[in-house]
Amino acid sequence: MTMKIYLNGRLVPENQAKVSVFDHGLLYGDGVFEGIRAYHGRVFKLDEHLDRLSRSARAIDLKLPMTPAALAQAVIKTCRANDIQDGYIRLIVTRGIGNLGLNPYTCRTPQVIIIAGAIQLYPQKLYETGLSVITVGTLRNHTEAINPRIKSLNYLNNILAKIEAMNAGCMECIMLNPQGFVAEASGDNIFAVRGTTLLTPPSWCGALEGITRQTVMELAPEQNLQVREQVLTRYDLYTADEVFLTGTAAEIIAVVKADHRTIGRGRPGPVTRRLERVYRAYAQSAGTPLA
Ligand code: PMP
């Protein structure tokens, strides 16, 4: 089936969904985006994603051409047009067409693109065995260079880290910030479990304010787990009982090896597995209805 793509107010067949070679999104990675999930006919945390998109746009001085309410309607319309009940939605706002210079103010009209398609998860087996990760040499962007709270189209920092990880035979990595503190993975947030406490780096350490991270923080107290944002070093990961990653596409996935060291017992631990279950149950029962 041909996908229908939302492009600036219209739904067009995928082979006609095209943007200009002069779009600064392409020329410079100048734009913002969100990755959103639909579960069982509902869009999960849609308002939270739209809030983050608005903040990202503000942070790069890009004026969103639509209100959050109109964007929400556009997301819903795109899901409906593609008969999506369970899926992954990519909402992109590029700076728009400009000239070959850097000046973003030559770009008059931001482009809004919505792609609603199949989900991309890690293979199921990895949820059962857990991930092996390595710390990479590529540092997370300095917060005063590109603030990692901005979910921008410029992902080269993460891609360079991913290249290092893949070449070392790992699907994910640990990125440190310029001070040597743990920031996040290349496309997911990170948590360490110590007893009944979940520890995760604050965003100023170089972490995106992940929606899944936030959801885990909200679900934790009901599970008699405490959550603390804390500066973490690799020591904290190596000595943790459990480590896991969170992200919209990945949900919650255990990390069982870091830098070839075994974490905890070397398999997904009880806290991670419980959170995985609780998260899935919650995600499948909440959200903005598509019907
Ligand atoms: N960090 C980075 C760098 C990401 O790209 C993402 C999203 N894939 C995350 C963390 C997780 O954020 P969220 O839970 O909002 O998907």
Side-chain angles (χ1 to χ4, degrees), residues 141-172:
N141 286 325
H142 192 289
T143 50
E144 295 310 313
I146 299 179
N147 196 304
R149 292 164 80 182
I150 304 170
K151 198 163 169 65
S152 86
L153 291 179
N154 192 320
Y155 255 55
L156 258 191
N157 183 220
N158 315 62
I159 290 167
L160 291 174
K162 184 91 176 181
I163 286 171
E164 281 190 68
M166 299 302 287
N167 287 341
C170 294
M171 300 274 286
E172 253 299 359

Side-chain angles (χ1 to χ4, degrees), residues 154-219:
N154 192 320
Y155 255 55
L156 258 191
N157 183 220
N158 315 62
I159 290 167
L160 291 174
K162 184 91 176 181
I163 286 171
E164 281 190 68
M166 299 302 287
N167 287 341
C170 294
M171 300 274 286
E172 253 299 359
C173 59
I174 298 161
M175 295 184 79
L176 305 178
N177 73 8
Q179 294 149 293
F181 301 137
V182 174
E184 59 182 337
S186 70
D188 291 311
N189 289 111
I190 192 162
F191 284 80
V193 183
R194 198 187 287 161
T196 58
T197 304
L198 310 180
L199 303 169
T200 193
S203 67
W204 66 260
C205 281
L208 178 75
E209 288 174 320
I211 310 283
T212 318
R213 171 183 180 274
Q214 184 59 40
T215 305
V216 166
M217 289 169 139
E218 283 161 17
L219 293 173

Side-chain angles (χ1 to χ4, degrees), residues 130-131 133 174 182 184-185 188-195 197-201 212-213 215-217 220 225-227 232 237 240-247 250-257 263 268-276 279:
L131 279 173
V133 302
I174 298 161
V182 174
E184 59 182 337
D188 291 311
N189 289 111
I190 192 162
F191 284 80
V193 183
R194 198 187 287 161
T197 304
L198 310 180
L199 303 169
T200 193
T212 318
R213 171 183 180 274
T215 305
V216 166
M217 289 169 139
L225 298 166
Q226 297 80 49
V227 196
L232 299 179
L237 303 181
D241 297 323
E242 302 177 31
V243 170
F244 62 85
L245 306 181
T246 64
E251 300 179 329
I252 296 171
I253 187 162
V255 173
V256 294
K257 270 194 175 178
I263 295 171
V271 173
T272 305
R273 283 185 292 143
R274 180 145 52 97
L275 285 170
E276 270 179 52
Y279 180 84

